[in-house]
Amino acid sequence: MGKGRLEAFSDGVIAIIITIMVLELKVPHEPTLEALHELWPTFLSYVLSFVYVGIYWNNHHHLMHTAQSVSGGVMWANLHFLFWLSLFPFTTAWMGENHFEALPTALYGVVLLMAAASWVVLQFAIMRHDGCESPLRRALGRDLKGKLSPLLYLSAIALSFYQRWIADLIYVAVAMMWLVPDRRIESPD
Amino acid sequence: MGKGRLEAFSDGVIAIIITIMVLELKVPHEPTLEALHELWPTFLSYVLSFVYVGIYWNNHHHLMHTAQSVSGGVMWANLHFLFWLSLFPFTTAWMGENHFEALPTALYGVVLLMAAASWVVLQFAIMRHDGCESPLRRALGRDLKGKLSPLLYLSAIALSFYQRWIADLIYVAVAMMWLVPDRRIESPD
Amino acid sequence: MGKGRLEAFSDGVIAIIITIMVLELKVPHEPTLEALHELWPTFLSYVLSFVYVGIYWNNHHHLMHTAQSVSGGVMWANLHFLFWLSLFPFTTAWMGENHFEALPTALYGVVLLMAAASWVVLQFAIMRHDGCESPLRRALGRDLKGKLSPLLYLSAIALSFYQRWIADLIYVAVAMMWLVPDRRIESPD
Amino acid sequence: MGKGRLEAFSDGVIAIIITIMVLELKVPHEPTLEALHELWPTFLSYVLSFVYVGIYWNNHHHLMHTAQSVSGGVMWANLHFLFWLSLFPFTTAWMGENHFEALPTALYGVVLLMAAASWVVLQFAIMRHDGCESPLRRALGRDLKGKLSPLLYLSAIALSFYQRWIADLIYVAVAMMWLVPDRRIESPD
């Protein structure tokens, strides 16, 4: 089974997710600076999520490049990953509109954590399908970033209820860490 | 006539359907657990519909793989199928927001039933166009799951007005039954 | 310049137009038959517009098939056509929510008319770019349906203010007339 | 790394941006000419933004045509460009709903300016990746339009607070200037 349609479908879903997030930036009725100023937290959370979805799209591109073909298992692992990604607009808007309050900040981290977990499952599904000679297996190596991120998300979720600004900073830091393109996978092409 | 654009268009429509369903998960104004808790039924109905749309996308992928070319009839059978799929966001939100009440649960089943019926029509259109040697004809075999699902939907619609939880469980059960990838079609590739 | 991206972009825009129209089918807050019943006109106008957009997508598919390559002029003629198509969700919802009142029914016809006009412009742009041997030129022939539709739209717009149901019936009749796939273009492939 | 998926993803995002802008054309509840008349400024700003997004899509098509392959840097430059484009629906709606008031008109220009700046960054990223023989480098030439536009946007932003109609006219003029397809890039194909 070819991987073309899986890539096209994922591109479509990710493109829609990244774009509908901007709909939560509700257009104010007054043409004033105050009205605009109130949107500041929503805008910041939109930027953060745009970067996260961009990172995932970028890595998805690399990941699928290493896959040789796709099985039914890979397809469902991919849909499972897209499911968690589809919750980004919700958690982003909730966190932004409530000015990075404790609970929305924690939930934002939970969805980030689940997306990261489903990403690992997707990687495993591809490696299992492609067998021992999977290029992904060699490319991944120790996967330090992949192992560090869930730990950082977990600590941010816990910190949300005590020092929520540190939790938000951790989300920013993890995004920064991933912004560097994943050379492990990019190189073997 | 090539089938590339039909696949691309269907991927686009299905990607949008699966993603806009999440917009019905209305972002609450309070950052509290109570506000989140009220979204529980809407979230559950979203998960169920996400799985159903995922199943249809998956099977659409397999189905089109067996089609050798497409006619105008196949195109309209495909649009007819996409029409019923496009009503999923509506019935999903109505059922979720009304906590799985009788009528919304029944309507959810009616749209599932119509989608299943339009799927059968699409299969017939492809088989008719491809003629006797249609790979789909051979692949389908007895099509037990395809024959069972409408019966189960019908019984769920009837049960909605008496034991609505059983109706909901039937929807979950049919989804589970289809989650197993359709090996009849997958194998002959 | 290849036509692949123009097709992909048009597929994307048309897929989004056909899908966001369903968002105007506002989910009622009550789980009752009365609440559902009020949506009847909105649903009918959705079905009508779904068929129209489906017809245009189908014909776009055929049209682009006959184009040999695309110029900047064809690209802008295509965007111009997509612009009028993008107004369908607005006129559809306005007509549906106001129960096929005179003015919304007339505006619905105006947008149909403009879409038909921009379609003719797109055909001319392709024929001009492809020159005398344009397969489209031969395929079009007398283009009876293409000449009849604008006249029917015009009469429906005028009738909206006197006998609006006849206007609505004309919209349905034109859609029926086009539902038959455009064999003039399909055959020479 | 191939450029196919980058093109497909950009097409998807741009198609969604151009289409969701129409959602800001809120469907009025009354079937009257007055209700329609109030939408006039929103409609005008929609047309203007539709043309701008159309121009960018057109130029993106040409730009990617000259790129020989894409690096991680090009991908992020592209996402950065799409980010500013994703703010068009917001600024368009804010300007339209507030009848081209000073501040919304200025912000509309700021986002146009940032989109133009990110476009320049994207061009540089492609030229840097493709090296000295980059076809884009030769194609761009003096790039008069590319240098003039930011200056015009800047003057429009300043004028918004004094003569906002002149600012709006400048936006229209820049769009007109770009509507002529970019022959510098188109020719070397």
Side-chain angles (χ1 to χ4, degrees):
Chain A
M1 200 192 310
K3 62 184 177 179
R5 262 190 93 176
L6 186 140
E7 288 184 336
F9 183 73
S10 306
D11 279 353
V13 171
I14 298 176
I16 299 160
I17 290 171
I18 214 170
T19 321
I20 60 173
M21 284 194 307
V22 89
L23 291 177
E24 293 300 336
L25 216 59
K26 298 275 162 57
V27 180
H29 293 296
E30 282 87 40
T32 60
L33 216 54
E34 289 76 45
L36 205 63
H37 188 255
E38 275 180 31
L39 289 173
W40 204 233
T42 313
F43 181 71
L44 278 187
S45 71
Y46 171 58
V47 173
L48 181 63
S49 293
F50 190 97
V51 171
Y52 265 112
V53 177
I55 288 165
Y56 271 120
W57 175 70
N58 224 320
N59 288 355
H60 194 270
H61 187 120
H62 290 310
L63 185 67
M64 283 302 142
H65 207 76
T66 66
Q68 287 165 325
S69 69
V70 289
S71 61
V74 172
M75 279 200 159
W76 277 104
N78 191 55
L79 274 167
H80 178 235
F81 162 67
L82 292 176
F83 173 78
W84 291 108
L85 221 55
S86 81
L87 296 180
F88 274 42
F90 177 84
T91 54
T92 303
W94 203 39
M95 185 168 77
E97 282 174 29
N98 289 291
H99 297 208
F100 299 89
E101 277 279 348
L103 191 66
T105 298
L107 190 74
Y108 188 84
V110 169
V111 169
L112 277 180
L113 182 68
M114 293 310 293
S118 66
W119 179 258
V120 170
V121 170
L122 177 58
Q123 284 182 332
F124 269 105
I126 290 173
M127 284 193 277
R128 211 185 123 207
H129 179 63
D130 279 351
C132 315
E133 291 128 86
S134 160
L136 178 60
R137 199 184 293 266
R138 275 178 289 124
L140 268 180
R142 285 183 308 155
D143 194 15
L144 216 69
K145 284 201 272 187
K147 280 172 188 148
L148 204 58
S149 306
L151 295 178
L152 288 168
Y153 294 146
L154 273 173
S155 55
I157 294 167
L159 278 166
S160 300
F161 300 101
Y162 304 102
Q163 299 283 337
R164 57 201 174 91
W165 294 113
I166 300 183
D168 294 320
L169 282 177
I170 290 175
Y171 298 148
V172 173
V174 175
M176 291 295 133
M177 181 177 89
W178 281 101
L179 258 183
V180 183
D182 203 331
R183 299 202 178 282
R184 291 162 307 154
I185 304 187
E186 199 170 353
S187 47
D189 292 287
Chain B
M1 199 192 311
K3 61 184 178 178
R5 262 190 93 177
L6 187 140
E7 288 184 336
F9 183 73
S10 307
D11 278 352
V13 171
I14 298 175
I16 299 160
I17 290 170
I18 214 170
T19 323
I20 62 174
M21 284 194 308
V22 89
L23 291 177
E24 293 300 336
L25 216 59
K26 298 276 162 54
V27 179
H29 293 296
E30 282 88 39
T32 60
L33 215 55
E34 289 75 44
L36 205 63
H37 188 255
E38 276 181 30
L39 290 173
W40 204 233
T42 313
F43 181 72
L44 278 186
S45 70
Y46 171 59
V47 173
L48 181 63
S49 293
F50 190 97
V51 171
Y52 265 112
V53 177
I55 288 165
Y56 270 121
W57 175 70
N58 224 321
N59 287 355
H60 194 270
H61 188 120
H62 290 309
L63 185 66
M64 283 302 143
H65 206 76
T66 66
Q68 287 164 327
S69 69
V70 290
S71 61
V74 172
M75 279 200 159
W76 277 105
N78 191 56
L79 273 167
H80 178 235
F81 163 66
L82 292 176
F83 173 79
W84 291 107
L85 221 55
S86 81
L87 296 180
F88 274 42
F90 176 84
T91 52
T92 303
W94 202 39
M95 185 169 75
E97 282 174 28
N98 289 291
H99 296 208
F100 299 89
E101 277 279 349
L103 192 64
T105 297
L107 190 74
Y108 189 84
V110 169
V111 169
L112 277 180
L113 182 68
M114 293 310 294
S118 66
W119 178 259
V120 170
V121 170
L122 177 58
Q123 283 181 332
F124 269 105
I126 290 173
M127 284 193 277
R128 210 185 123 207
H129 179 63
D130 279 350
C132 316
E133 291 128 85
S134 161
L136 178 59
R137 200 183 293 266
R138 274 178 290 124
L140 268 180
R142 285 182 310 155
D143 194 15
L144 216 70
K145 283 201 273 187
K147 278 172 189 146
L148 203 58
S149 306
L151 294 178
L152 288 168
Y153 294 147
L154 273 173
S155 56
I157 295 168
L159 278 166
S160 301
F161 300 99
Y162 304 102
Q163 299 283 339
R164 57 201 175 92
W165 294 113
I166 299 182
D168 295 320
L169 282 178
I170 290 175
Y171 298 148
V172 173
V174 175
M176 290 295 133
M177 180 177 89
W178 281 100
L179 258 182
V180 183
D182 202 330
R183 299 202 178 282
R184 290 163 307 153
I185 304 188
E186 200 170 354
S187 47
D189 291 286
Chain C
M1 200 191 311
K3 60 183 178 178
R5 262 190 93 177
L6 187 139
E7 289 184 335
F9 183 73
S10 306
D11 278 352
V13 171
I14 299 175
I16 299 159
I17 290 171
I18 215 170
T19 322
I20 61 174
M21 284 194 307
V22 89
L23 291 178
E24 294 300 336
L25 215 60
K26 299 275 162 55
V27 180
H29 293 296
E30 282 87 40
T32 61
L33 215 55
E34 289 76 44
L36 205 64
H37 189 256
E38 275 180 31
L39 289 174
W40 204 234
T42 314
F43 181 72
L44 278 187
S45 70
Y46 171 59
V47 173
L48 182 62
S49 293
F50 190 97
V51 170
Y52 265 112
V53 177
I55 287 165
Y56 270 120
W57 175 70
N58 224 320
N59 287 355
H60 194 270
H61 187 120
H62 290 309
L63 186 66
M64 284 302 141
H65 207 77
T66 67
Q68 287 164 326
S69 68
V70 290
S71 61
V74 172
M75 279 201 159
W76 277 105
N78 191 56
L79 273 167
H80 177 235
F81 162 67
L82 292 177
F83 173 79
W84 291 108
L85 221 55
S86 81
L87 296 180
F88 274 42
F90 177 83
T91 53
T92 303
W94 202 38
M95 185 168 75
E97 282 174 29
N98 290 290
H99 295 209
F100 300 88
E101 276 280 347
L103 192 64
T105 298
L107 190 75
Y108 189 84
V110 170
V111 169
L112 277 180
L113 183 67
M114 294 309 293
S118 66
W119 179 258
V120 170
V121 170
L122 177 58
Q123 284 181 332
F124 269 105
I126 289 172
M127 283 193 277
R128 212 185 122 207
H129 179 63
D130 279 350
C132 316
E133 292 128 84
S134 160
L136 178 59
R137 199 184 294 266
R138 273 178 290 124
L140 268 180
R142 284 182 311 155
D143 194 15
L144 216 70
K145 283 200 273 187
K147 279 171 186 146
L148 203 58
S149 305
L151 295 177
L152 288 168
Y153 294 146
L154 273 172
S155 56
I157 294 167
L159 278 166
S160 302
F161 300 101
Y162 304 102
Q163 299 282 337
R164 58 202 175 92
W165 294 113
I166 300 183
D168 294 321
L169 281 178
I170 291 175
Y171 298 148
V172 173
V174 176
M176 290 295 133
M177 181 177 88
W178 281 101
L179 258 184
V180 183
D182 202 330
R183 299 205 177 279
R184 289 162 308 151
I185 304 188
E186 198 171 355
S187 47
D189 292 284
Chain D
M1 201 192 311
K3 60 184 178 179
R5 263 190 92 176
L6 186 140
E7 288 184 336
F9 183 73
S10 307
D11 278 353
V13 171
I14 298 175
I16 299 160
I17 290 171
I18 214 170
T19 321
I20 61 173
M21 286 194 306
V22 89
L23 291 178
E24 293 300 336
L25 216 60
K26 298 276 162 56
V27 179
H29 293 297
E30 282 87 40
T32 61
L33 216 54
E34 290 75 44
L36 206 61
H37 189 255
E38 275 180 32
L39 289 174
W40 205 235
T42 313
F43 181 71
L44 278 186
S45 70
Y46 171 59
V47 173
L48 182 62
S49 293
F50 190 97
V51 171
Y52 265 112
V53 177
I55 288 165
Y56 270 120
W57 175 69
N58 224 320
N59 288 355
H60 194 270
H61 187 120
H62 290 310
L63 184 67
M64 283 302 142
H65 207 76
T66 67
Q68 288 164 326
S69 69
V70 290
S71 61
V74 171
M75 279 201 159
W76 277 105
N78 191 57
L79 273 168
H80 178 234
F81 163 68
L82 292 177
F83 173 78
W84 291 108
L85 220 56
S86 81
L87 296 180
F88 274 43
F90 177 84
T91 55
T92 302
W94 202 39
M95 185 168 76
E97 281 174 30
N98 289 290
H99 296 208
F100 300 89
E101 278 280 348
L103 191 65
T105 298
L107 190 74
Y108 188 84
V110 169
V111 169
L112 277 180
L113 183 66
M114 293 310 294
S118 66
W119 179 258
V120 170
V121 170
L122 176 58
Q123 283 182 331
F124 270 105
I126 290 173
M127 283 193 278
R128 210 184 124 207
H129 179 64
D130 279 350
C132 315
E133 292 128 86
S134 159
L136 177 60
R137 200 183 294 266
R138 276 179 287 124
L140 268 180
R142 285 183 310 155
D143 194 13
L144 215 69
K145 283 201 273 187
K147 278 171 188 147
L148 204 58
S149 305
L151 295 177
L152 288 168
Y153 294 146
L154 273 173
S155 55
I157 294 167
L159 278 165
S160 301
F161 300 101
Y162 304 103
Q163 299 283 339
R164 57 200 174 93
W165 294 113
I166 300 183
D168 295 320
L169 281 177
I170 290 175
Y171 298 147
V172 173
V174 175
M176 290 295 133
M177 183 177 87
W178 280 102
L179 257 183
V180 183
D182 203 330
R183 297 205 177 282
R184 290 163 307 155
I185 304 187
E186 198 171 355
S187 47
D189 292 286

